């Protein structure tokens, strides 16, 4: 391959990476945490008192429909590891939903409004790339960034091709830090390339879907997408308006399991209530096939007869086009294969975040002015241009601000969940306060001197998650106010605490290594070792 071609692709790779790197770091790191979004929500929230709640979901549905015949849509959430008893939820979009459960006397009783869900907060940070703006505004920005990300992947592979065989699995530890960063960057990028290609393409589709639908409506389906969907639906018998003759939730869950083996229903979403076109969307887990949601697929049934109404969102079913669409969701969410795949996606997410961080460090190293003293004189310090120092501090502050801010927000939400009037403000306020403090510290101290301290802060914030889990049972015995914060230690919480403990240990080790490399006098630059690969030579 011609050297000029490699240089051109390197320029594209460098600038697309710089423009997108920090946003993508936050998106990938928060995305790694969001693989356990339900477990994070369960970990962070205070458990309401549910004593005397009935476990009979069928009786709850019957009592609810008798008491609220005017409701047009309602969801029955079944009991689970993170939900002590079934409850009904309903309300208009944009309003706080109402919730009721059935007591052991067969009477409906209201449940308090749900607090902000920490898992949703982490997922929103992932989808917004940490931008402090509404999600609908931030997502198109992330969509465009994802397209730049795909361009950086293609150009990066082209740049690496001349040295692919010789340098792929070589990581050279030594005094030449730039060589080490380049080796790590190349290894992370190639080892997880299929994962990154899927993330780039699917994220662009998700974030720009409104633009895509508008274009389809204008140029492909001028009669409207809803009209096309209506034509594709099969005719059906009207549903009886008398809900007393409908099948019970238990029977509907059995119907869904008969259609999809091993389908375990988690919620029943009743839609079109009061009309002859009523339907029920059964959400449930099934780890063999791709699914529409991060954890759940859907089986759509007639609530009166239990017959399947459509199969486009059913795991393992539907047309080729429907399966292709579901595969985009599932490959992005990791909603297949169960817990091993979720752990793998979490690890790949962290590796992806490190890919963007190492790429920015390479840019910074390449643009440092190394002032070499003449032979026999005292070595002079390294002077970086102002814009390089600013980008170095910004890169370190943004990346480690995200790493420290997310666990700090979760810990604050856990400790204040029983008393805070607005838990969402606790999550948002804590995250952005820590995030801004890390950026300010990086600018005040400089990237080299701030690295060890920020890594230590991130390690401490991450370690507070398992430490909080250990402290809560002891506090609940000593102080009554902490009893609402304690909860039975379920399997899902083990993933939150275990992965956090591993992350804290890794960050602490990195802080220790960074402390050993921290300059204690005038910054000195060791002489560079020869760089063999063409890609590395271009970075110089």
């Amino acid at each position: 391959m011609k050297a000029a071609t490699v240089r051109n692709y390197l320029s594209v790779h460098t600038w697309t990476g710089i423009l997108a790197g920090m946003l993508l770091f936050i998106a990938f790191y928060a995305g790694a945490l969001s693989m356990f979004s339900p477990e994070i929500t369960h970990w962070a929230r205070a458990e309401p008192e549910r004593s005397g709640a009935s476990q009979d979901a069928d009786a709850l549905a019957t009592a609810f429909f008798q008491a609220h015949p005017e409701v047009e849509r309602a969801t029955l959430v079944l009991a689970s590891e993170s939900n002590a008893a079934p409850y009904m939820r309903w309300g208009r979009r944009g309003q706080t939903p109402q919730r009721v459960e059935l007591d052991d006397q067969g009477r409906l009783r209201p449940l308090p409004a749900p607090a902000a869900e920490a898992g949703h907060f982490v997922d929103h940070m992932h989808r917004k790339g940490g931008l402090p703006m509404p999600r609908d505004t931030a997502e198109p920005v992330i969509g465009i960034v994802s397209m730049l990300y795909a361009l950086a992947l293609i150009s990066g592979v082209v740049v690496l091709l001349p040295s692919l065989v010789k340098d792929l699995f070589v990581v050279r530890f030594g005094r030449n830090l730039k060589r080490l960063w380049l080796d790590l960057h190349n290894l992370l990028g190639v080892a997880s390339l299929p994962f990154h290609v899927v993330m780039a393409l699917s994220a662009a589709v998700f974030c720009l879907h409104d633009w895509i639908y508008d274009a389809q409506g204008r140029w492909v389906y001028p009669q409207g997408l809803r009209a096309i969907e209506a034509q594709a639906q099969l005719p059906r018998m009207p549903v009886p308006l008398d809900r007393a003759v409908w099948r019970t939730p238990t029977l509907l869950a059995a119907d869904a399991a008969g259609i999809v083996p091993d389908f375990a229903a988690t919620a029943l979403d009743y839609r079109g209530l009061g009309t002859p076109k009523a339907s029920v969307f059964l959400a449930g887990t099934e780890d063999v096939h791709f699914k529409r949601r991060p954890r759940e697929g859907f089986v759509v049934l007639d609530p009166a007869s239990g017959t399947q109404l459509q199969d486009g969102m059913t795991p393992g079913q539907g047309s080729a086009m429907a399966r292709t669409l579901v595969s985009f969701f599932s490959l992005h969410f990791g909603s297949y294969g169960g817990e091993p795949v979720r752990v793998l996606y979490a690890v790949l997410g962290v590796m992806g975040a490190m890919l963007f961080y190492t790429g920015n460090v390479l840019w910074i190293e390449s643009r440092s002015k190394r002032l070499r003293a003449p032979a026999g004189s005292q070595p002079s310090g390294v002077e970086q241009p102002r814009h390089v120092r600013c980008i170095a501090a910004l890169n370190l502050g943004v990346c480690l601000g995200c790493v420290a801010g997310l666990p700090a927000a979760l810990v604050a939400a856990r400790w204040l969940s029983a008393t805070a009037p607005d838990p969402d403000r606790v999550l948002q306020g804590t995250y952005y306060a820590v995030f801004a403090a890390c950026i300010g510290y990086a600018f005040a101290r400089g990237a080299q001197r701030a690295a060890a301290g920020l890594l230590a802060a991130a390690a401490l914030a991450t370690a507070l998650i398992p430490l909080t889990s250990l402290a809560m049972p002891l506090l609940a015995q000593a102080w009554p106010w902490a009893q609402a914060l304690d909860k039975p230690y379920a399997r899902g919480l083990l993933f939150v605490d275990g992965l956090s403990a591993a992350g804290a240990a890794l960050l602490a080790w990195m802080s220790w290594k960074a402390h050993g490399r921290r300059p204690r006098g005038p910054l000195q630059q060791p002489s560079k070792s020869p760089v063999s690969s063409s890609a590395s030579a271009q970075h110089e």
Side-chain angles (χ1 to χ4, degrees):
M1 185 178 297
K2 295 182 179 180
T5 302
V6 175
R7 283 196 298 270
N8 291 336
Y9 275 96
L10 178 62
S11 179
V12 172
H13 180 73
T14 299
W15 286 107
T16 53
I18 289 296
L19 291 173
M22 284 177 271
L23 280 178
L24 289 172
F25 181 96
I26 298 175
F28 266 74
Y29 195 83
L33 271 63
S34 71
M35 295 309 303
F36 296 94
S37 178
E39 290 83 359
I40 288 174
T41 293
H42 185 205
W43 183 91
R45 71 186 177 197
E47 294 297 322
E49 181 63 35
R50 303 288 297 275
S51 60
S54 171
Q55 296 291 329
D56 192 342
D58 295 345
L60 170 60
T62 300
F64 175 80
F65 288 139
Q66 289 177 351
H68 297 278
E70 78 288 352
V71 172
E72 299 177 355
R73 180 174 177 178
T75 301
L76 170 61
V77 180
L78 302 177
S80 64
E81 180 184 86
S82 59
N83 179 43
Y87 64 87
M88 294 290 301
R89 179 183 67 228
W90 78 101
R92 296 185 180 276
R93 178 175 295 183
Q95 298 179 353
T96 302
Q98 302 180 63
R99 304 192 304 169
V100 294
E101 66 180 1
L102 199 69
D103 63 17
D104 51 12
Q105 302 298 318
R107 296 170 299 193
L108 293 175
R109 66 182 184 185
L111 282 172
E117 297 189 358
H120 286 178
F121 164 75
V122 173
D123 182 59
H124 287 179
M125 296 302 297
H126 158 64
R127 297 169 69 173
K128 298 192 302 181
L131 294 173
M133 59 180 63
R135 200 185 72 195
D136 292 342
T137 305
E139 282 190 346
V141 176
I142 301 301
I144 296 172
V145 167
S146 297
M147 296 174 68
L148 293 176
Y149 165 34
L151 185 60
L153 289 174
I154 296 171
S155 57
V157 171
V158 173
V159 169
L160 187 62
L161 284 177
S163 59
L164 182 62
V165 176
K166 182 173 62 176
D167 292 341
L168 177 57
F169 295 107
V170 177
V171 179
R172 282 157 280 205
F173 295 90
R175 298 185 66 191
N176 190 342
L177 293 183
K178 180 171 174 259
R179 176 76 261 181
L180 173 61
W181 283 117
L182 181 61
D183 288 341
L184 289 174
H185 183 75
N186 292 342
L187 179 60
L188 289 171
V190 174
S192 55
L193 181 61
F195 175 78
H196 284 280
V197 170
V198 170
M199 293 299 108
L201 296 178
S202 57
V205 172
F206 294 158
C207 294
L208 301 176
H209 68 278
D210 286 340
W211 295 3
I212 295 172
Y213 289 158
D214 290 343
Q216 285 181 322
R218 178 178 294 272
W219 304 108
V220 182
Y221 306 115
Q223 67 271 44
L225 291 175
R226 291 191 178 275
I228 298 298
E229 293 174 355
Q231 293 175 8
Q233 292 181 357
L234 297 175
R236 51 178 294 199
M237 295 294 294
V239 177
L241 298 181
D242 184 7
R243 300 171 193 176
V245 303
W246 288 4
R247 294 174 70 78
T248 64
T250 300
L251 292 176
L252 290 171
D255 294 334
I259 295 171
V260 181
D262 300 324
F263 186 87
T266 57
L268 290 82
D269 185 8
Y270 291 88
R271 304 183 184 184
L273 296 174
T275 72
K277 292 186 177 181
S279 59
V280 55
F281 284 62
L282 277 87
T285 59
E286 192 266 351
D287 291 333
V288 176
H289 300 96
F290 288 163
K291 296 182 287 294
R292 185 67 176 262
R293 279 186 178 176
R295 294 289 180 88
E296 300 163 328
F298 292 96
V299 178
V300 185
L301 301 179
D302 184 308
S305 64
T307 57
Q308 188 175 11
L309 299 179
Q310 57 171 282
D311 58 6
M313 293 184 288
T314 304
Q317 298 185 15
S319 64
M321 181 62 71
R323 293 190 184 196
T324 301
L325 181 61
V326 170
S327 69
F328 270 91
F329 285 91
S330 194
L331 287 171
H332 189 91
F333 296 149
S335 56
Y336 58 95
E339 293 171 350
V341 172
R342 286 195 288 275
V343 173
L344 176 62
Y345 266 56
V347 173
L348 288 172
V350 174
M351 289 175 59
M354 286 300 301
L355 178 69
F356 305 119
Y357 180 79
T358 55
N360 285 354
V361 170
L362 280 172
W363 185 91
I364 294 163
E365 290 289 329
S366 297
R367 279 147 183 80
S368 297
K369 292 182 179 179
R370 298 173 174 88
L371 304 179
R372 295 179 177 83
S377 64
Q378 293 294 327
S380 60
V382 175
E383 180 183 355
Q384 293 179 331
R386 179 179 297 178
H387 72 281
V388 174
R389 295 198 304 271
C390 290
I391 292 181
L394 187 64
N395 181 55
L396 184 74
V398 166
C399 295
L400 292 184
C402 169
V403 176
L406 285 174
L410 299 182
V411 171
R414 175 74 176 270
W415 282 93
L416 300 176
S417 58
T419 58
D422 189 350
D424 187 60
R425 287 189 178 182
V426 173
L427 289 164
Q428 300 275 353
T430 304
Y431 173 80
Y432 285 113
V434 174
F435 184 77
C438 290
I439 294 177
Y441 183 78
F443 273 95
R445 296 280 292 167
Q448 285 186 296
R449 289 186 171 87
L454 290 180
L455 283 166
L460 176 61
T462 307
L464 286 177
I465 291 179
L467 291 176
T468 296
S469 295
L470 291 174
M472 283 304 172
L474 302 177
L475 294 177
Q477 295 177 3
W479 290 287
W481 63 267
Q483 293 177 0
L485 305 180
D486 192 21
K487 61 194 69 180
Y489 200 78
R491 176 182 175 84
L493 301 182
L494 180 62
F495 285 101
V496 178
D497 290 333
L499 292 175
S500 298
L506 177 61
L507 289 166
W509 177 81
M510 293 173 64
S511 175
W512 175 71
K513 297 295 287 184
H515 181 79
R517 293 184 183 276
R518 187 176 61 184
R520 291 171 173 77
L523 298 182
Q524 296 181 8
Q525 175 69 31
S527 60
K528 292 189 293 181
S529 61
V531 180
S532 57
S533 71
S534 60
S536 179
Q538 295 297 330
H539 272 292
E540 293 291 344

